[in-house]
Amino acid sequence: MRRLTNILVTGGAGFIGSNFIRYLFEKEGFSGTVVNADCLTYAGKEENLADVEAQFGKTVVDSGATQRYFFEKADICNRDRMERIFRQYDIDTVIHFAAESHVDRSICGPEAFIRTNVMGTQTLLDTARFYWLRKDGVLRDDVLFHQISTDEVYGSLGIDGSFTEESPYEPRSPYAASKAAADHLVMAYHYTYGLPVTISHCSNNYGPCQFPEKFLPLVISNIRDGKELPVYGDGRNIRDWIYVDDHIRAVWLIVNKGKTGGRYNISGENEWRNIDLLHKVIELTAAECGLNPLDVEKTIRFVSDRPGHDRRYALDCSKLKDELGWKQTVNFEEGLRRTVSWYVGKDKYQSVFSFSIR
Ligand code: NAD
């Protein structure tokens, strides 16, 4: 039986990690402790969890309550810091979100991706394996290391078909390769040392708190600010979209009930060509901002394609549905509306599209 009492969430100040921590406290009635270890790169913002900090962080001690949310500004590559965090909070579960996560940045500079996504994951795995070793030399079985992976490790698909958990890895960008390497290390620690692990592969997430260099927050903020709307290539690349809450509910289910050593695909089963999605976002954002959608359409700019741009991703998530009873709950139109109104209301989320891919 997994303890799931003192959870180390890495990268909890980023998009999905911050939504996950909020979800645990608000929706799951989680009664344990969450330690958020994040070194706050450009993508991490402590403000993403200001509400959780106010309700469960250090200030609650003044009113006699027990602090249950702890933020540690720490780099997952720093072994000493990781060991201290494990000891100080008696960590029994790791949910590993921390990563360099933007494909374009990985094309411009792969080193940071190898450092954090590969070396950082190995540092965490090794810290866990020593901290969780019992006196008799056997690893505890009430602990878990959950790796947040991506659909991109499987590579690109043609017009039909979808990847299952049995599909071979064929990463095509430095980002995807670094995530694939991390996944292999996670499974290697499971088979070699008996570390209890699970892995989830998810498709494209959307929702609040995503850094606006990624497609949806970028175009929403650009429409709001009257800027051009960049679209890679011919705009016909296909992605599957899932609302972030559906992803994190699946993660919590896997962490609670997933088979040790198991890998699970998580998908919105909701495929869109980028250009069609852009038209939909223009319609919703123009309405929210009181703009004429026809004027906004004129700001679309096709820019040269990303090198090695994967054409289509699609995941078969029937294992997660059949084995753990998960299903998507957020209707796409409703999720998009929520996302649009969140970004339109956030002036501080300035869009960023400053990469030139060489
Ligand atoms: P993000 O870029 O928004 O957040 C990443 C967080 O990790 C940031 O808070 C950053 O400060 C932190 N971080 C980076 N390097 C670190 C280091 N060395 N030490 C400590 N913290 C560090 O990313 P996201 O979109 O929230 O993605 C989270 C995870 O989900 C990643 O592992 C990513 O590969 C995976 N994923 C994302 C998507 C998606 O659509 N966004 C889809 C599938 C999988």
Side-chain angles (χ1 to χ4, degrees), residues 110-126:
E111 298 86 348
F113 288 71
I114 304 307
R115 182 181 177 276
T116 287
N117 301 1
V118 185
M119 303 299 292
T121 302
Q122 192 269 335
T123 302
L124 278 171
L125 286 164
D126 222 46

Side-chain angles (χ1 to χ4, degrees), residues 196-268:
V197 305
T198 44
I199 299 184
S200 54
H201 303 272
C202 192
S203 52
N204 274 24
N205 284 225
Y206 69 99
C209 299
Q210 187 170 30
F211 190 73
E213 62 185 353
K214 307 270 172 72
F215 185 64
L216 277 178
L218 174 80
V219 296
I220 297 168
S221 328
N222 279 11
I223 296 169
R224 178 199 64 193
D225 300 341
K227 295 186 188 163
E228 288 187 348
L229 306 177
V231 179
Y232 277 130
D234 59 8
R236 286 164 191 250
N237 299 63
I238 295 175
R239 297 291 180 266
D240 172 73
W241 294 89
I242 182 169
Y243 194 69
V244 63
D245 285 7
D246 278 337
H247 176 191
I248 58 195
R249 258 189 330 100
V251 168
W252 188 233
L253 198 58
I254 296 164
V255 165
N256 275 271
K257 299 191 176 144
K259 227 168 110 196
T260 300
R263 292 174 36 221
Y264 296 86
N265 287 345
I266 308 169
S267 151

Side-chain angles (χ1 to χ4, degrees), residues 60-344:
V60 301
V61 177
D62 300 338
S63 55
T66 307
Q67 180 175 0
R68 294 200 292 117
Y69 171 71
F70 298 82
F71 178 70
E72 292 279 346
K73 185 170 185 309
D75 188 329
I76 58 164
C77 301
N78 183 331
R79 178 70 182 246
D80 288 347
R81 279 303 297 279
M82 292 304 114
E83 284 179 4
R84 259 185 284 146
I85 288 172
F86 268 73
R87 271 200 309 275
Q88 183 178 344
Y89 299 100
D90 189 21
I91 296 300
D92 54 53
T93 309
V94 176
I95 306 183
H96 178 31
F97 292 92
E100 287 293 340
S101 68
H102 191 35
V103 176
D104 290 353
R105 287 184 191 258
S106 83
I107 294 168
C108 297
E111 298 86 348
F113 288 71
I114 304 307
R115 182 181 177 276
T116 287
N117 301 1
V118 185
M119 303 299 292
T121 302
Q122 192 269 335
T123 302
L124 278 171
L125 286 164
D126 222 46
T127 306
R129 126 173 133 91
F130 281 108
Y131 187 72
W132 291 339
L133 200 60
R134 294 192 319 218
K135 288 210 169 66
D136 61 4
V138 177
L139 265 162
R140 282 167 57 180
D141 59 6
D142 60 347
V143 293
L144 183 73
F145 187 105
H146 181 76
Q147 159 79 347
I148 304 289
S149 182
T150 165
D151 55 357
E152 297 190 37
V153 296
Y154 297 121
S156 184
L157 280 168
I159 189 103
D160 51 19
S162 54
F163 294 117
T164 71
E165 290 82 355
E166 308 310 318
S167 300
Y169 277 33
E170 203 182 336
R172 290 158 49 100
S173 69
Y175 162 67
S178 68
K179 294 294 290 187
D183 293 2
H184 289 318
L185 283 167
V186 170
M187 293 315 295
Y189 271 68
H190 175 60
Y191 291 121
T192 308
Y193 306 112
L195 191 74
V197 305
T198 44
I199 299 184
S200 54
H201 303 272
C202 192
S203 52
N204 274 24
N205 284 225
Y206 69 99
C209 299
Q210 187 170 30
F211 190 73
E213 62 185 353
K214 307 270 172 72
F215 185 64
L216 277 178
L218 174 80
V219 296
I220 297 168
S221 328
N222 279 11
I223 296 169
R224 178 199 64 193
D225 300 341
K227 295 186 188 163
E228 288 187 348
L229 306 177
V231 179
Y232 277 130
D234 59 8
R236 286 164 191 250
N237 299 63
I238 295 175
R239 297 291 180 266
D240 172 73
W241 294 89
I242 182 169
Y243 194 69
V244 63
D245 285 7
D246 278 337
H247 176 191
I248 58 195
R249 258 189 330 100
V251 168
W252 188 233
L253 198 58
I254 296 164
V255 165
N256 275 271
K257 299 191 176 144
K259 227 168 110 196
T260 300
R263 292 174 36 221
Y264 296 86
N265 287 345
I266 308 169
S267 151
E269 295 179 301
N270 172 43
E271 291 181 44
W272 284 75
R273 290 195 318 178
N274 286 347
I275 190 68
D276 299 334
L277 179 56
L278 180 58
H279 293 313
K280 185 80 203 158
V281 174
I282 288 175
E283 176 198 317
L284 295 177
T285 312
E288 181 84 19
C289 299
L291 300 167
N292 180 344
L294 295 175
D295 292 339
V296 180
E297 291 278 345
K298 289 181 199 147
T299 63
I300 296 177
R301 289 289 170 271
F302 290 92
V303 297
S304 39
D305 209 357
R306 170 193 280 167
H309 201 178
D310 292 339
R311 197 66 178 168
R312 176 171 166 261
Y313 305 130
L315 290 177
D316 177 342
C317 59
S318 46
K319 178 178 174 186
L320 179 64
K321 289 181 161 177
D322 298 345
E323 210 178 290
L324 302 183
W326 174 88
K327 61 175 195 264
Q328 306 88 349
T329 58
V330 181
N331 162 280
F332 191 49
E333 177 108 10
E334 171 52 27
L336 265 187
R337 271 183 214 287
R338 278 191 225 164
T339 307
V340 164
S341 71
W342 193 86
Y343 286 100
V344 167

